[in-house]
Amino acid sequence: MGICDGRVVIVTGAGRGLGRAHALAFAAEGARVVVNDLGTGPDGTPAGTGSPAAEVVAEIGARGGTAVAHGGDVASAAGAAGLVDCALDTFGRLDTLVNNAGFLRDRMLVNLEEEDWEAVVRVHLTGHFLPLRRAAAWWRAEAKAGRTPTARVVNTSSGAGLLGSVGQGNYSAAKAAVLGLTLVSAAELARYGVQVNAIAPAARTRMTERTFAEAMAAPAAGEFDAMAPENVSPLVVWLGSADSAGVTGRVFEAEGGRITVMDGWRPGPTADKGARWTPAEAGGAALGLLAKADTPLPVYGAE
């Protein structure tokens, strides 16, 4: 018996890395898991044959768990619909959606092609929105039928979405937008029994190992592997369980053994003239306020 015993959980991008770790962790806690993965390379292009989703399903089965593979594109309406329908047709219900799928196409802004901008925003942002919309429609219907669910959504943002990251304008923008989507959906869906939270994880995956090769290196034998994806999954499983009742619209950083609640934008120093400022007055007021404000954290990769 685990904290997700009997729940049905979807994890997107679950063939490798963080998604695989989440899927295995949910199954270990008693969940029946829909393992989604399109099977692409780290940049979203086709990557050979075989199904990483099927491999994870087999791994869950070998450990005594229950799972089913789904290979659809979650950033398409048809793929997102098929994903939710897969959970409903196979297991008869859906309790938790973990939006995790994504890939990178890093470039400095002046070299960033429109195609690479759109591809990254599509998978990270639209790939969150479409499965969430489909799942929310089913949960709303359940609530209106008198069967209010204990539903959970865990979205995946990033430190790049919180602070920005040099060379990752497309990824940073998409991950920042995921935070906005999280806040809005948490407010809109609460009446239907749905809680929505986001994580900003740091771990060794295909997406990070080239960008942060030195920091992401595996430790010596016997040492705690602070960058293992499995370190992030316990928080995700808890957020996806009924035990997280009352927690919604929040953002957590998770890395190694550290969990941090992120506060987000809050009003800082304020000046109110009570009338319209001149440009010179507005500038003077702004400089005075900046002198009182906290210094912002640096963008990742900035000198």
Side-chain angles (χ1 to χ4, degrees), residues 205-234:
T205 70
R206 294 191 306 166
M207 285 175 51
T208 60
E209 61 186 1
R210 289 185 295 179
T211 304
F212 307 108
E214 183 175 346
M216 296 293 176
E223 294 182 2
F224 174 55
D225 187 355
M227 290 293 103
E230 291 77 9
N231 297 331
V232 177
S233 300

Side-chain angles (χ1 to χ4, degrees), residues 179-197 248-250:
L179 298 175
L181 177 63
T182 298
L183 299 178
V184 171
S185 55
E188 290 185 355
L189 301 179
R191 71 187 69 181
Y192 306 123
V194 184
Q195 294 182 182
V196 187
N197 294 284
T248 193
R250 305 307 295 262

Side-chain angles (χ1 to χ4, degrees), residues 11-17 19-20 35-37 52-53 55-56 100:
V11 183
T12 71
R16 303 179 181 89
R20 171 184 171 274
V35 179
N36 164 266
D37 201 285
E55 293 172 5
V56 174
N100 170 78

Side-chain angles (χ1 to χ4, degrees), residues 92-251:
R93 59 184 296 127
L94 174 61
D95 301 287
T96 299
L97 168 64
V98 179
N99 285 314
N100 170 78
F103 55 75
L104 294 177
R105 294 188 184 178
D106 293 351
R107 298 284 190 280
M108 301 299 279
L109 283 174
V110 295
N111 297 319
L112 183 59
E113 297 292 340
E114 184 177 357
E115 176 186 356
D116 295 329
W117 169 273
E118 291 179 347
V120 169
V121 171
R122 177 182 182 273
V123 68
H124 287 282
L125 183 55
T126 306
H128 272 61
F129 162 65
L130 290 175
L132 174 55
R133 183 181 65 173
R134 183 71 171 196
W138 188 76
W139 287 324
R140 181 182 64 176
E142 286 291 286
K144 288 187 173 182
R147 299 182 295 270
T148 301
T150 303
R152 305 286 186 262
V153 178
V154 183
N155 291 330
T156 305
S157 183
S158 167
L162 294 165
L163 300 175
S165 180
V166 171
Q168 294 187 311
N170 48 4
Y171 177 70
S172 296
K175 288 303 191 184
V178 165
L179 298 175
L181 177 63
T182 298
L183 299 178
V184 171
S185 55
E188 290 185 355
L189 301 179
R191 71 187 69 181
Y192 306 123
V194 184
Q195 294 182 182
V196 187
N197 294 284
I199 61 164
R204 185 190 313 106
T205 70
R206 294 191 306 166
M207 285 175 51
T208 60
E209 61 186 1
R210 289 185 295 179
T211 304
F212 307 108
E214 183 175 346
M216 296 293 176
E223 294 182 2
F224 174 55
D225 187 355
M227 290 293 103
E230 291 77 9
N231 297 331
V232 177
S233 300
L235 175 62
V236 174
V237 171
W238 181 79
L239 288 171
S241 75
D243 286 8
S244 63
V247 179
T248 193
R250 305 307 295 262
V251 180

Side-chain angles (χ1 to χ4, degrees), residues 7-53:
R7 292 179 71 81
V8 174
V9 178
I10 289 173
V11 183
T12 71
R16 303 179 181 89
L18 283 165
R20 171 184 171 274
H22 299 340
L24 292 172
F26 272 109
E29 289 293 328
R32 292 167 289 174
V33 185
V34 179
V35 179
N36 164 266
D37 201 285
L38 193 55
T40 62
D43 62 353
T45 55
T49 59
S51 168

